[in-house]
Amino acid sequence: MAIEVRPITATLGAEISGVDMADVSGETLEQLRKAWLDHKVLVLSDQHISVEEHIAFGRRFGDLEVHPFAVGKKGYPEVVKIKSTAEYQYAANNWHSDVTWRAEPSMGSILRGVVIPPAGGDTCFADTGAAYQRLSQEWKDRVDPLFAIHDFSMTFGQRLSDEERAEKQALYPPARHPVIRTHPETGQRTIYTNRSFVREIEGCTPEESAEIVGHLERQIMNPSVQCRIRWGVDTFVMWDNRAVQHFATDDFWPETRHVERVTVVGDAPF
């Protein structure tokens, strides 16, 4: 039976029904893959599955990565636990793609709502391909040939001692990625810079680098290329890290927000 796909906007996001994440294979899996490429962000609600089934579902799309800095779920190294409480307030409230500081950043992530506040705590997504299309031709010509240097130490590195940082930098040296990448499956051109991880634009002065990164971020901040997801317990959101950026709102304090993520290994941007 065909799954039901209800678009959230004309170009970004879709709510999916007719899928049991605990048992996805064959034609249903292929339909889900196509929907993911077409809509970039998929929402599957009321999926009451185990942690093991969450991991198994992620593996249907590829190998899963283990994040070297984020907190993992005890006994499940593939699962990143993101928990915010009144005592520890955390939200990734900046526009970014995940782990762009890796030589081969993640293909996509599958995030589960575990404890959801009664209000707030939404996640916003931006279509980086649509954002690129809205650039003037002058800006496209300017940024198309450029490369950016991505470095984990700009964010995660701030939590480490000098010795720990040097050790991690040996494992994860700065990565050089195109400012505008090409999606390996759709061929779409997408913006691939963010303030969290881009240290510099290769060949540019610090002032020029900041100008370029800032201008591209403003295209992503346009509500016309965005959708906003309201969470529920056992709502799953899966996004294509090659085609979108995301931003978690921090508007739910002092309530608790707890989500858990598995992430599919990707390949080198080109």
Side-chain angles (χ1 to χ4, degrees):
M1 184 172 65
I3 66 175
E4 184 178 352
V5 180
R6 298 182 299 279
I8 296 172
T9 78
T11 60
L12 180 65
E15 296 177 343
I16 303 295
S17 58
V19 171
D20 177 1
M21 290 177 61
D23 183 24
V24 176
S25 60
E27 185 178 350
T28 299
L29 180 59
E30 291 310 308
Q31 292 177 49
L32 199 56
R33 287 182 187 275
K34 183 179 186 307
W36 203 3
L37 287 175
D38 290 345
H39 298 279
K40 307 174 182 72
V41 178
L42 302 183
V43 182
L44 298 94
S45 301
D46 299 319
Q47 297 284 333
H48 309 299
I49 63 174
S50 67
V51 177
E52 291 83 0
E53 287 167 335
H54 184 186
I55 293 170
F57 178 81
R59 285 184 174 143
R60 289 180 171 88
F61 299 93
D63 294 332
L64 301 184
E65 66 180 41
V66 176
H67 199 293
F69 303 109
V71 176
K73 188 177 180 68
K74 186 175 181 180
Y76 301 97
E78 309 93 336
V79 179
V80 172
K81 183 171 68 174
I82 306 167
K83 188 173 183 178
S84 306
T85 66
E87 293 75 30
Y88 177 74
Q89 300 181 357
Y90 172 78
N93 57 337
N94 47 66
W95 286 105
H96 66 287
S97 301
D98 289 327
V99 299
T100 63
W101 40 266
R102 285 187 186 268
E104 297 183 342
S106 60
M107 181 277 274
S109 290
I110 303 161
L111 189 65
R112 175 187 202 153
V114 179
V115 178
I116 301 302
D122 297 352
T123 302
C124 304
F125 292 91
D127 183 334
T128 54
Y132 171 75
Q133 288 302 322
R134 288 170 177 260
L135 288 171
S136 68
Q137 190 59 50
E138 178 183 1
W139 266 95
K140 288 179 181 177
D141 292 341
R142 182 178 180 184
V143 299
D144 276 349
L146 298 178
F147 286 80
I149 306 303
H150 298 243
D151 189 344
F152 78 83
S153 65
M154 296 180 62
T155 49
F156 297 112
Q158 305 305 310
R159 313 173 190 172
L160 306 176
S161 68
D162 291 344
E163 183 178 344
E164 291 170 329
R165 190 180 308 113
E167 180 182 333
K168 290 296 186 183
Q169 283 177 327
L171 295 172
Y172 306 102
R176 179 179 183 265
H177 298 315
V179 167
I180 308 299
R181 73 174 291 176
T182 301
H183 194 289
E185 296 185 76
T186 68
Q188 187 180 37
R189 300 279 282 160
T190 65
I191 293 172
Y192 204 62
T193 55
N194 62 84
R195 285 190 295 116
S196 296
F197 303 130
V198 170
R199 189 181 71 198
E200 62 182 315
I201 305 297
E202 192 175 70
C204 293
T205 66
E207 294 76 18
E208 290 170 327
S209 292
E211 178 197 9
I212 292 167
V213 172
H215 185 77
L216 295 178
E217 183 180 54
R218 285 190 291 276
Q219 312 314 303
I220 289 163
M221 292 169 66
N222 185 339
S224 294
V225 302
Q226 296 175 11
C227 70
R228 182 170 178 138
I229 306 301
R230 173 69 182 139
W231 288 92
V233 174
D234 286 343
T235 291
F236 285 76
V237 179
M238 47 195 295
W239 66 88
D240 187 335
N241 201 51
R242 306 161 298 183
V244 302
Q245 292 192 20
H246 59 283
F247 182 113
T249 63
D250 60 354
D251 53 357
F252 55 92
W253 320 123
E255 300 292 339
T256 293
R257 180 182 187 269
H258 176 190
V259 292
E260 295 180 351
R261 185 182 87 198
V262 301
T263 303
V264 183
V265 172
D267 51 18
F270 62 91

